[in-house]
Amino acid sequence: MAKFSGLKGTGFVSRATVAAITAALVGTTTVAVAADNPQGAAEVAASAGTFQSAPAMKAAPLASTTSAGAENRALMAVSGSSLYFYEPNGSGAYNARELLTTDWGDVKNAQQADNDGDGVADDLWVWTTDGYLGYASSEATDGITVGGGWNTYNKVLSPGNLGGAAAPDMIARDSAGALWLYLGYGTGKLTGRTKVGSGWNIYNQIAGVGDLSGDGKADIVARDAAGVLWLYKGTGDYKAPFSGRTKVGAGWGVYNSLVGVGDLDGDGRSDLIARDSSGVLYRYSGTGNAAAPYKARVKIGGGWNTYRLMF
């Protein structure tokens, strides 16, 4: 079991966030979960009335047309069991890294989120190697166990609000290539999953956070084995959260990691970072234009191949 011993109070994520996840994950092995049925919080022993029912959540209207706009977020990176924090420097790159903890050896992946809608990603979903998903907010003293059985997935991503309500949602891809959507309640808890697609195992990278096309809805990009990058525009409909794909461009196979990072360059649009096989990191600034969602790449720096995770 991973130990989340604390994050610095940086304005993005606080020490309380990781400490709360620690508490949430303690003793989770007592929860029985079928390996082929990953649970959302609605399916775990949560007290009645603490969050909306799934039907009510799914029917909730879109809060605003800009609810999927660019977030301000730090970059977090994991090397071995060490978690590092990179604060944006205001010029489209990052300040020197800060070591946050050396207890992340059992973390399989993690995702940031802005559940309070203040434009700053200061919440964390953390997926551990034993298949549990935990969550905590910088504003909360207690974390939660979202559910178990998540090791049936090989990709988990929170691009923002996909289902039409105000809170960030989660998508997950299983080994058969099926894509599943979990709607968020704004508390870190998730509804049960809904299948929203198949054939997604043709992609070896899926990334994105916020609006890439300029319509106020959260989008994603996906790269296929030939190195072609595709844009999937968000629809705001939980039953079919993405429209048909649009080709962004070829040649993206030179990268071994693509990560949506919110607004890194300060222009109010969502950006992407890409790491090549030599460890060089590049920024692709967003344009807000679906036909050409990114500007030409800008080099951030080298040595980034030390990290097994970036989020």
Side-chain angles (χ1 to χ4, degrees):
M1 182 64 65
K3 298 178 181 179
F4 302 93
S5 60
L7 293 180
K8 291 189 175 182
T10 59
F12 292 92
V13 182
S14 74
R15 290 183 181 276
T17 301
V18 178
I21 294 176
T22 305
L25 292 177
V26 171
T28 52
T29 53
T30 62
V31 182
V33 184
D36 61 350
N37 184 27
Q39 292 183 320
E43 299 165 298
V44 183
S47 58
T50 56
F51 55 99
Q52 291 178 293
S53 66
M57 182 64 190
K58 292 177 180 178
L62 183 67
S64 72
T65 57
T66 59
S67 62
E71 296 175 4
N72 294 314
R73 59 170 57 192
L75 178 66
M76 296 186 191
V78 181
S79 176
S81 61
S82 296
L83 174 67
Y84 295 92
F85 176 92
Y86 286 89
E87 186 174 9
N89 66 3
S91 301
Y94 296 103
N95 291 326
R97 71 182 188 180
E98 299 179 62
L99 176 65
L100 299 181
T101 179
T102 59
D103 290 324
W104 270 47
D106 291 339
V107 174
K108 191 170 185 176
N109 207 340
Q111 289 289 289
Q112 298 185 53
D114 173 21
N115 265 316
D116 59 7
D118 64 355
V120 178
D122 48 11
D123 311 314
L124 283 178
W125 277 294
V126 177
W127 175 20
T128 55
T129 54
D130 54 5
Y132 284 90
L133 190 71
Y135 171 87
S137 167
S138 61
E139 298 181 351
T141 56
D142 296 316
I144 62 170
T145 299
V146 178
W150 284 73
N151 280 347
T152 192
Y153 299 127
N154 54 35
K155 182 67 176 180
V156 174
L157 181 70
S158 179
N161 162 30
L162 296 173
D169 305 316
M170 188 85 77
I171 55 173
R173 182 187 64 189
D174 65 25
S175 58
L179 194 69
W180 303 86
L181 173 64
Y182 290 84
L183 298 178
Y185 290 108
T187 61
K189 297 174 182 178
L190 302 169
T191 65
R193 65 182 188 173
T194 299
K195 186 177 180 180
V196 294
S198 58
W200 283 78
N201 50 3
I202 66 171
Y203 299 119
N204 49 37
Q205 291 285 327
I206 303 174
V209 57
D211 178 22
L212 300 173
S213 61
D215 63 359
K217 298 180 175 67
D219 312 310
I220 61 172
V221 291
R223 188 192 66 192
D224 64 25
V228 177
L229 192 70
W230 303 88
L231 171 68
Y232 282 87
K233 291 179 61 177
T235 66
D237 178 3
Y238 80 92
K239 295 179 180 178
F242 302 112
S243 60
R245 68 182 189 177
T246 302
K247 185 176 180 179
V248 175
W252 289 76
V254 299
Y255 301 120
N256 57 30
S257 183
L258 302 176
V259 182
V261 292
D263 182 15
L264 178 55
D265 61 8
D267 65 357
R269 298 186 177 95
S270 292
D271 307 321
L272 184 80
I273 58 171
R275 183 185 63 191
D276 68 20
S277 59
S278 65
V280 176
L281 195 69
Y282 297 91
R283 183 188 77 246
Y284 282 87
S285 294
T287 66
N289 178 5
Y294 298 115
K295 299 177 183 179
R297 71 182 190 178
V298 175
K299 183 178 178 180
I300 292 178
W304 288 80
N305 51 4
T306 186
Y307 297 119
R308 62 180 180 88
L309 295 177
M310 295 190 296
F311 60 95

